[in-house]
Amino acid sequence: MDLDVFVAAHRQEWDRLDALLRRRRRLTGTEADELVALYQRAATHLSLIQSSAPDPQLTGRLTQLVARARSTVTGTRRASWRDVTRFLTEGFPAAVYRSRRWWVPTALLSTALAALLGWWIGTHPEVQATIAAPDELRQMTRPGGEYETYYSSHPATSFAAQVWTNNAQAAAMCLVLGAFLCLPVIWILFQNMLNLGVGIGLMSSAGRLDTFLGLVLPHGLLELTAVFVAAGTGLRLGWTVIDPGPRSRRTALAEEGRSALGMAVGLALVLFVSGAIEGFVTPSGLPTWARITIGVAAEAAFLLYVWILGRRAVQLGETGDVEEAERSATVPLAA
């Protein structure tokens, strides 16, 4: 593309669009139609320049012009209950379902790693000695020890809020830091599995693995699933940086990034439920089977929610991204 010729051919259209946007008075019907047409052309011009002959100064001007025109054409729309309903019934479950090829393997591999670490720690006293002194280990694993009293160490409400905040932060870090070539996500996930493996190993060496699982499973099933979903989505975002596919890297990152941010909100709600279970159910006086049943029911409900609503939404074309009217204007790129 000859940039000078292109600018000379379309400068009058851009100037006319800018003049219409600066009008103080209400536009006539003809002028409004003209503004929409010029906005669409300018958006196409911007995409062509970005893909064929990027020029920082010209790109900056057209970006501002297209943004102003888009705001005028679409208007300012306030969030409504319709948006909330769409997000909960279509956007969020669709985003989770679309990421299943990332977070399901992540969950399986991570669970296997935690089990392997637990076996290694539980069967090797010399490894346990590097974790803590023998007296400290007995204090943690004995009946009524730290592993058991941890869940009732604070009032249920404040404990649930603290757990929710910590887990939501971990999930958000997985989602956001995934863009850094996946490495921070792998580290965060490893730290979580290491902590779980240490608990499994120490309690199994004390002959109290059943007690540990009875404390972890009620809230841990849903909590870990949310972490796996966040980690898998973060890995997918990181891979988008490496291989954006047929889309431009900028477009791919924008689409996957918006989906990931929306997923952060949805996962915060999921982690709120797991935090409530951890604060009120795990330390309760209910029998172990009853507490585990509650955890299994919460996990099953989430998976059915994703596979039923999410699959249906994806089949209807939902991607978890914002609505098309809210996205930046682009044109298809040639293969």
Side-chain angles (χ1 to χ4, degrees):
M1 175 190 293
D2 188 322
L3 193 60
D4 293 333
V5 173
F6 187 84
V7 171
H10 300 288
R11 184 190 299 276
Q12 289 186 350
E13 296 179 15
W14 304 336
D15 291 342
R16 174 59 177 167
L17 176 59
D18 182 62
L20 289 174
L21 292 173
R22 294 176 183 276
R23 287 281 177 87
R24 297 285 184 179
R25 61 176 177 78
R26 187 181 182 89
L27 298 179
T28 65
T30 302
E31 289 173 333
D33 291 340
E34 183 184 7
L35 186 147
V36 172
L38 290 173
Y39 157 62
Q40 293 172 336
R41 291 179 200 165
T44 302
H45 297 160
L46 175 60
S47 295
L48 290 173
I49 290 172
Q50 288 175 329
S51 61
S52 303
D55 178 85
Q57 185 174 358
L58 181 59
T59 299
R61 182 198 172 187
L62 283 181
T63 298
Q64 293 182 356
L65 187 62
V66 169
R68 288 167 53 209
R70 179 171 173 272
S71 177
T72 301
V73 170
T74 60
T76 302
R77 188 175 66 85
R78 295 183 179 180
S80 65
W81 285 110
R82 173 184 172 276
D83 298 307
V84 176
T85 301
R86 175 185 174 274
F87 173 75
L88 293 177
T89 60
E90 299 177 16
F92 176 56
V96 178
Y97 184 79
R98 285 182 64 240
S99 299
R100 69 193 183 282
R101 291 185 177 86
W102 287 90
W103 65 262
V104 171
T106 297
L108 296 176
L109 291 174
S110 298
T111 302
L113 175 62
L116 182 62
L117 288 171
W119 169 83
W120 181 55
I121 293 171
T123 56
H124 291 75
E126 66 276 14
V127 177
Q128 299 172 29
T130 64
I131 297 174
D135 290 342
E136 294 175 329
L137 294 178
R138 283 192 292 271
Q139 180 63 27
M140 287 189 290
T141 58
R142 67 176 178 82
E146 294 177 8
Y147 271 117
E148 292 184 41
T149 58
Y150 167 75
Y151 297 101
S152 56
S153 58
H154 296 87
T157 302
S158 61
F159 182 74
Q162 179 182 352
V163 167
W164 175 47
T165 301
N166 293 339
N167 290 334
Q169 288 177 345
M173 288 176 64
C174 285
L175 291 167
V176 174
L177 297 179
F180 294 94
L181 302 180
C182 307
L183 298 179
V185 177
I186 295 173
W187 176 250
I188 293 171
L189 197 57
F190 175 75
Q191 290 296 313
N192 276 272
M193 294 304 102
L194 179 60
N195 291 334
L196 180 59
V198 169
I200 292 174
L202 294 181
M203 290 294 275
S204 65
S205 68
R208 308 192 68 236
L209 181 59
D210 56 339
T211 300
F212 180 76
L213 294 179
L215 291 170
V216 170
L217 290 179
H219 64 274
L221 290 173
L222 187 60
E223 177 183 303
L224 286 175
T225 299
V227 172
F228 294 146
V229 170
T233 304
L235 292 174
R236 177 179 178 175
L237 184 62
W239 186 252
T240 300
V241 178
I242 300 171
D243 181 15
R247 302 168 292 181
S248 69
R249 183 167 281 103
R250 176 182 298 180
T251 300
L253 276 175
E255 292 177 358
E256 300 301 336
R258 288 192 300 263
S259 178
L261 290 176
M263 195 177 289
V265 177
L267 289 178
L269 297 176
V270 175
L271 289 169
F272 176 81
V273 176
S274 71
I277 294 174
E278 187 169 359
F280 293 94
V281 176
T282 298
S284 70
L286 292 172
T288 300
W289 66 265
R291 289 184 279 112
I292 293 179
T293 299
I294 293 173
V296 170
E299 172 75 357
F302 176 70
L303 294 179
L304 288 174
Y305 164 76
V306 170
W307 251 261
I308 294 176
L309 293 184
R311 182 179 181 182
R312 182 175 64 185
V314 168
Q315 289 174 342
L316 294 174
E318 179 63 57
T319 64
D321 198 354
V322 296
E323 294 190 36
E324 187 173 358
E326 302 296 322
R327 303 173 198 169
S328 298
T330 59
V331 295
L333 296 177

